[in-house]
Amino acid sequence: HSNDHTRDPCPYNIVSDVGIGFAMGSIGGSLWHGVKGYMNAPRGERFVGSIASIKARAPITGGNFAVWSGLFNANDCLIADLRGKEDGWNPIMAGAATGAILAARSGPKGMMISAVFGGIILAAFEGIGAVMSKMGGSAHIDPKPIELPPAPASEDTKKVSAAPSGSGSALSQSGSEPVFQDPFQEQQQQQQQQQQPAAAPFQGGGFFKGRFGVTQ
């Protein structure tokens, strides 16, 4: 019941971390024993001595890492199940238990010393991980939103607000947006309509004479 969703749940993480531990130990052991074998080999055979040292010692280092990783994850799962919760104390206690188990052949005193060192190392790892998580979490905090000032009124809005009621603006009947009309243009249109002469009455004849109020 781990809260870390980036890892496999127990007990599957035991198997996966054993493989990861073996890979890390093999890679690290190859580098360490390769350099050590190169330095200890006689001149002219250093490359051969480096390869021989890697073949002889790197798998052993990988196996040691795999054993430590398997015991640590097994203890971590067991402690989490017994305590019923996941927190930073589980890996610290698991590291201490793993150190004690690996030093079982050294007697009680050796087990105690190894347990203390294992707990201290895991506590340091947990502290570094907590600091890194806190720093990473603070980097993703949303900044305070910036409040923008209200937009200034446009020229058309100023004209409409300054125009007299009933002569400056009108709303479109077909749409939702207002339609603005210049009051001076409206006055010119009214004057042109008044200046136009009235249409002459229709002077019809023949069939239309006397039927629609038309007279000669």
Side-chain angles (χ1 to χ4, degrees):
H1 307 287
S2 176
N3 294 328
D4 188 1
H5 300 288
T6 61
R7 297 179 57 190
D8 295 330
C10 293
Y12 304 104
N13 63 336
I14 300 175
V15 179
S16 62
D17 285 351
V18 165
I20 294 172
F22 181 80
M24 293 177 60
S26 298
I27 295 172
S30 298
L31 295 175
W32 173 258
H33 293 293
V35 174
K36 188 176 180 180
Y38 181 86
M39 298 298 294
N40 294 332
R43 187 182 300 272
E45 297 181 0
R46 289 184 174 180
F47 182 75
V48 177
S50 176
I51 297 299
S53 180
I54 290 173
K55 289 181 179 180
R57 304 299 301 174
I60 297 175
T61 305
N64 292 335
F65 271 75
V67 170
W68 190 93
S69 182
L71 286 175
F72 171 77
N73 283 278
N75 290 325
D76 191 14
C77 292
L78 179 61
I79 293 172
D81 187 67
L82 293 175
R83 297 183 68 221
K85 60 180 178 179
E86 285 279 350
D87 54 16
W89 288 105
N90 290 348
I92 294 174
M93 290 187 288
T98 302
I101 292 172
L102 292 176
R105 294 190 298 177
S106 300
K109 186 177 180 180
M111 291 177 64
M112 185 178 299
I113 295 174
S114 182
V116 171
F117 275 103
I120 291 174
I121 293 173
L122 266 298
F125 287 163
E126 286 296 314
I128 294 172
V131 171
M132 296 298 293
S133 299
K134 187 176 181 180
M135 293 175 61
S138 61
H140 296 285
I141 297 176
D142 295 333
K144 184 179 180 181
I146 301 175
E147 297 181 359
L148 298 177
S154 61
E155 295 295 332
D156 294 337
T157 307
K158 293 179 180 179
K159 289 181 180 180
V160 171
S161 60
S165 175
S167 62
S169 62
L171 290 178
S172 153
Q173 298 296 330
S174 59
S176 60
E177 296 183 356
V179 178
F180 301 102
Q181 186 175 3
D182 191 355
F184 299 101
Q185 184 179 2
E186 184 178 357
Q187 292 178 3
Q188 291 178 0
Q189 291 178 358
Q190 292 178 359
Q191 291 176 2
Q192 290 178 1
Q193 291 177 1
Q194 292 175 2
Q195 291 175 2
Q196 290 179 358
F202 177 75
Q203 302 293 332
F207 179 78
F208 296 97
K209 184 177 181 181
R211 295 180 180 271
F212 297 93
V214 178
T215 58
Q216 289 183 349

